Amino acid sequence: MLHWNIKKIVAVLVLLFVLIAVFNFTGFSKNIKNFFFLISSPIQKAFWQAGKSISGFASGILEIKTLKKETEDLRLENQELLNQIAVLTELKRENETLRGALELGLEKELELMLVRVINKDISQDSILVNKGRKEGVLEGSAVITAQKVLLGKVRTVYEGFSEVVLISNKESSFGARIPERDADGVIKGKGSFNLSLDLIPREKEISEGDVVITSALGDVYPPGLLVGQIKTIKKSDVDPFQSAEVKAAFDINNLDYLFIVTAH
Amino acid sequence: MIKKIIFFIITFYILILLQTSFLVHFNVLGVVPNFVLIAVIFINLFSSSKQEKVLSALIGGFYLDVFSLDNRGGFFGFYTLVMLGLFLFLKVILEKYVRLPVIKKI
């Protein structure tokens, strides 16, 4: 009886390994995923809206409605202002440094594609959006909010959907700068929407609340996009670099419509 | 058998959609309960049918692979293998080390 069971288990395992190998090596797994995303999209949309309204209602019980709206408006306004300050500071510094030495070309505007979030994988800091290869989405494209807040980049493109890996994902790493302090560093994802800014030279004085934006270093993201604000600073006398925890500017619970940067 | 397969396909489909589209709005510190994993463990602990246990592990793992936006382990099928491993692990543990209380007929 036991022998028969083992034979059966081995047969199932072998079959499973063969199927997995076929799915992965032929790329058929992408077709399977796309098929399921396609048939699930309307149901997911309904669940998404229901979850959003119920969670909003639940939080509304705990807060006064008007206060909540006011806070939300102020938060968005603050985010826009922070972004404007960051961009203006960066432009000012760039102007001062390069004026007279270089003839700058016109700043290229970002070309954007509007997408809708249909699925989140919070444990892995990823989201799924409703446009893919047939709409011209390319792997590696940056994804931002309407307030020019950086969210992440497209990792995998399916026929009609795209997977976006958030900047807080543990595999994420890109160049960033604090324009107010003229300090460069590297933003690394820590998972669960946490970020850290590493490799900041020790001699640079930074403080909590400083705005962090993307830099052109590494050409991962367009420069000047808002990343977040410095939360806590870690400085050691023996370490040539200091690091800081960064509070991401995006709010995972308020993501609905986003933009994919198709050209910059 | 066919009925069981259809039942699991539909049930796990609803669970995974709830998990990825509805429950994400109610996350606590970025954590959302994995209903599919809970269901597979529950079935493996309390079902007396071996077919049900294997089917739940395979179908649950497959759905986790499809709807997981970051193929853990770098390949499609990772969760299916993990769920199958979980089935075998629970099978060995339950058969060798655990005696669940049963109501005896008098």
Side-chain angles (χ1 to χ4, degrees), chain B residues 65-103:
Chain B
D65 275 321
V66 168
F67 286 91
S68 157
L69 296 184
D70 177 10
N71 284 339
R72 284 274 166 94
F75 63 95
F76 184 87
F78 175 76
Y79 280 109
T80 311
L81 291 178
V82 167
M83 288 293 163
L84 209 61
L86 182 73
F87 154 72
L88 292 172
F89 174 74
L90 288 176
K91 181 177 153 66
V92 171
I93 295 292
L94 287 177
E95 281 180 2
K96 287 195 174 178
Y97 303 107
V98 180
R99 185 167 292 174
L100 288 173
V102 289
I103 301 165

Side-chain angles (χ1 to χ4, degrees), chain A residues 149-222:
Chain A
V149 172
L150 178 65
L151 203 76
K153 66 177 174 183
V154 176
R155 178 173 49 197
T156 315
V157 181
Y158 301 102
E159 200 55 32
F161 303 90
S162 299
E163 251 178 60
V164 177
V165 57
L166 301 181
I167 52 173
S168 53
N169 186 290
K170 283 178 182 172
E171 292 169 14
S172 171
S173 167
F174 59 92
R177 59 185 284 103
I178 305 168
E180 295 160 59
R181 315 285 176 182
D182 193 20
D184 287 286
V186 175
I187 286 278
K188 283 180 184 167
K190 295 283 176 190
S192 302
F193 316 117
N194 295 314
L195 299 168
S196 74
L197 181 61
D198 299 337
L199 301 176
I200 315 162
R202 200 160 64 92
E203 63 274 12
K204 297 283 182 187
E205 283 298 326
I206 59 171
S207 62
E208 288 170 17
D210 281 353
V211 175
V212 182
I213 61 170
T214 54
S215 72
L217 188 73
D219 201 25
V220 181
Y221 294 111

Side-chain angles (χ1 to χ4, degrees), chain A residues 64-77:
Chain A
I64 301 164
K65 195 180 175 184
T66 49
L67 188 65
K68 190 187 169 196
K69 192 181 178 315
E70 198 177 336
T71 315
E72 180 66 15
D73 291 345
L74 285 171
R75 194 186 61 79
L76 284 174
E77 196 181 329

Side-chain angles (χ1 to χ4, degrees), chain A residues 48-49 52 72 75-76 79 115-122 125-129 143-147 149-152 164-168 193 248-259, chain B residues 21 24-25 27:
Chain A
W48 186 270
Q49 293 302 334
K52 201 175 173 189
E72 180 66 15
R75 194 186 61 79
L76 284 174
Q79 216 170 51
V115 291
R116 185 169 50 80
V117 179
I118 57 167
N119 185 349
K120 289 178 197 169
D121 195 342
I122 285 180
D125 294 80
S126 308
I127 56 172
L128 187 76
V129 295
V143 179
I144 61 173
T145 69
Q147 288 77 35
V149 172
L150 178 65
L151 203 76
V164 177
V165 57
L166 301 181
I167 52 173
S168 53
F193 316 117
F250 65 81
D251 179 4
I252 191 71
N253 292 317
N254 282 317
L255 299 179
D256 207 354
Y257 286 95
L258 303 170
F259 294 99
Chain B
S21 302
V24 285
H25 296 284
N27 70 86

Side-chain angles (χ1 to χ4, degrees), chain A residues 15-25, chain B residues 75-78 80-81:
Chain A
L15 184 68
L16 203 62
F17 276 116
V18 170
L19 276 175
I20 288 171
V22 169
F23 285 169
N24 281 286
F25 289 120
Chain B
F75 63 95
F76 184 87
F78 175 76
T80 311
L81 291 178

